[in-house]
Amino acid sequence: MLMIDHETLTGRHSFRPRFLKTLFSGPFVFSDSGWQWWLHGSEAEAAARLMDSHQRGGHPTQLVMLRNYKGRQAFRLNIDPLPCFAKEVAMTSLRTRIGALLGRSNVLLRYDHGTAETRHNLFLDSHTPNGVRTLALGERVRHGLPDRQILIHEYLSGWRPLGEVWQSTEQVDDRKGLINRLEALLRELYTHRICHLDLNAGHIMVPEDPSIPMRVIDCGRMCTSVRNPLIATALHVGKLMRDLGDPSQGVSGRHEQARNIFGNIAGEAVEAPRAQQILLMACHYRISKRVSKRRLVMNASQKALDLAAFEARLLTDHRNRALLPLTARNALPARASSPP
Ligand SMILES: Nc1ncnc2c1ncn2[C@@H]1O[C@H](COP(=O)(O)OP(=O)(O)OP(=O)(O)O)[C@@H](O)[C@H]1O
Ligand SMILES: [Mg+2]
């Protein structure tokens, strides 16, 4: 039950995204901080009030700043019984602010706003066991548009990022156990046609209890309903093998392990040649944010993928320049065949 007093509903919200209006209550205004809060569930109010008080210049003792970097702040809110994680994002461009208002993410209205991230978090949490619970979305509105947003999630107490857990795990059997759990997570993403465009070993959180599924965080850049879930999985697996693989193992060792994982997730579908080639490239190259993974996974036909052009684009990244191109090793066709 919500225990809100002094609630104020502000403005007109007819053009706000449907998921906010249907799944959240609010927006509520708790003070003259300039912030409004959309609440998801009964535990959200205490957390939102705490962040509101911080925005007013208060110093609540339950709030601990975890980091403050590039204008992005993260906090732990020590609230009983549910500690929370809060992160604040600033939207510097007008287009991003309009995207945040309308809840649209596209090339024009950008992808990097808290409204998109909140929608992705809810999608992941409601479709898979690998999402983090969302409690609230806060917004500072200027001239009718949100210019800062705060996402409040449940705090994963005692959980650690996969990269860190992997480094501290030396026994082969323990590492196998981690790979099995990772496979289960990636299978969920595959089954539900989700591509996390920023999946890496730091964005997968691991609980101490091995019977509890791992969780995915930082879902701002994500595609749902992807047309090519195989390609999405190839990108996920390749990147994670780059992150977790022993650098001395080289691309062939990483690739072998990636093929096994890919096969376990996708079964027979794994033989699709283009998905195999993307897997190899994702094991070999760093895929920067400038390369559109979104286009790859949303492409209607795998046959229409021009892998040679994709590789040429990857090679323009200075961090890949020292690598021997896969086409030169005959691992990829020199020119992708044109679609029939
Ligand atoms: N729900 C959570 N519970 C506990 N810790 C979390 C939670 N979500 C994120 N973290 C920690 O906070 C860090 C930053 O979170 P996140 O990646 O979502 O923010 P970000 O601003 O996008 O960061 P970056 O730019 O570094 O990727 C994560 O690497 C993780 O260690
Ligand atoms: Mg992050």
Side-chain angles (χ1 to χ4, degrees):
M1 196 187 70
L2 285 178
M3 308 235 315
I4 294 165
D5 46 11
H6 316 300
E7 73 203 57
T8 321
L9 254 63
T10 55
R12 291 176 57 217
H13 308 290
S14 50
F15 41 78
R16 295 313 305 265
R18 232 175 97 79
F19 81 89
L20 264 187
K21 292 188 293 187
T22 53
L23 302 177
F24 288 69
S25 53
F28 296 103
V29 171
F30 296 130
S31 71
D32 59 359
S33 65
W35 286 75
Q36 62 180 29
W37 301 90
W38 297 88
L39 306 184
H40 188 245
S42 56
E43 282 119 329
E45 188 187 340
R49 281 191 182 272
L50 198 58
M51 284 311 296
D52 192 74
S53 142
H54 171 72
Q55 295 303 337
R56 265 188 93 202
H59 300 284
T61 52
Q62 292 146 291
L63 184 141
V64 179
M65 185 180 280
L66 300 174
R67 66 132 206 234
N68 181 4
Y69 130 102
K70 287 196 202 159
R72 296 170 78 91
Q73 300 177 336
F75 306 88
R76 183 188 150 100
L77 313 181
N78 292 320
I79 301 172
D80 260 351
L82 189 71
C84 296
F85 174 83
K87 90 174 178 187
E88 181 171 343
V89 292
M91 290 162 293
T92 47
S93 80
L94 179 63
R95 290 194 292 165
T96 312
R97 289 181 203 161
I98 297 172
L101 181 81
L102 303 177
R104 295 284 161 80
S105 23
N106 54 41
V107 178
L108 189 65
L109 299 180
R110 318 302 302 164
Y111 301 96
D112 47 349
H113 46 76
T115 316
E117 185 162 348
T118 300
R119 176 150 41 80
H120 298 150
N121 274 318
L122 289 168
F123 185 90
L124 194 67
D125 195 27
S126 58
H127 289 78
T128 74
N130 310 104
V132 178
R133 198 166 138 200
T134 298
L135 285 120
L137 174 68
E139 301 179 313
R140 190 179 78 169
V141 179
R142 290 281 186 274
H143 310 295
L145 294 174
D147 71 341
R148 300 184 79 87
Q149 289 179 310
I150 293 178
L151 286 79
I152 304 183
H153 301 149
E154 102 187 73
Y155 191 91
L156 300 170
S157 298
W159 296 49
R160 289 191 298 151
L162 174 60
E164 205 182 296
V165 177
W166 184 262
Q167 290 310 324
S168 61
T169 306
E170 276 162 16
Q171 300 293 330
V172 175
D173 281 351
D174 294 343
R175 283 198 166 182
K176 273 195 190 141
L178 284 174
I179 291 287
N180 290 341
R181 292 164 72 193
L182 177 61
E183 246 175 54
L185 179 151
L186 297 177
R187 191 175 296 112
E188 290 287 343
L189 300 185
Y190 173 68
T191 310
H192 292 95
R193 306 181 90 90
I194 297 169
C195 186
H196 189 306
L197 298 164
D198 198 12
L199 195 66
N200 60 52
H203 287 158
I204 294 179
M205 299 295 279
V206 182
E208 255 176 67
D209 179 347
S211 68
I212 298 177
M214 296 177 176
R215 304 241 184 116
V216 178
I217 58 166
D218 206 353
C219 301
R221 297 175 63 241
M222 176 180 275
C223 295
T224 52
S225 310
V226 299
R227 299 219 176 96
N228 280 322
L230 259 189
I231 301 282
T233 304
L235 292 169
H236 289 155
V237 174
K239 168 64 179 150
L240 286 161
M241 288 305 100
R242 278 177 56 78
D243 283 2
L244 302 180
D246 177 354
S248 67
Q249 208 182 16
V251 68
S252 54
R254 274 204 296 271
H255 184 223
E256 194 184 318
Q257 192 167 22
R259 272 183 67 93
N260 285 335
I261 297 174
F262 195 34
N264 292 341
I265 294 170
E268 283 173 14
V270 89
E271 292 314 322
R274 283 184 168 70
Q276 281 293 346
Q277 288 161 349
I278 295 282
L279 180 72
L280 177 58
M281 283 199 259
C283 287
H284 189 55
Y285 295 115
R286 211 178 248 275
I287 305 183
S288 81
K289 287 189 180 143
R290 289 184 12 237
V291 176
S292 179
K293 292 188 224 166
R294 203 179 286 276
R295 203 174 305 151
L296 272 188
V297 296
M298 295 312 271
N299 203 317
S301 152
Q302 284 194 39
K303 288 187 186 145
L305 293 180
D306 185 342
L307 294 175
F310 183 60
E311 185 178 31
R313 182 101 175 88
L314 294 176
L315 283 164
T316 61
D317 184 332
H318 68 95
R319 294 165 305 180
N320 288 329
R321 290 225 177 103
L323 299 172
L324 183 62
L326 292 164
T327 35
R329 297 174 178 217
N330 292 327
L332 291 178
R335 188 83 211 124
S337 54
S338 49

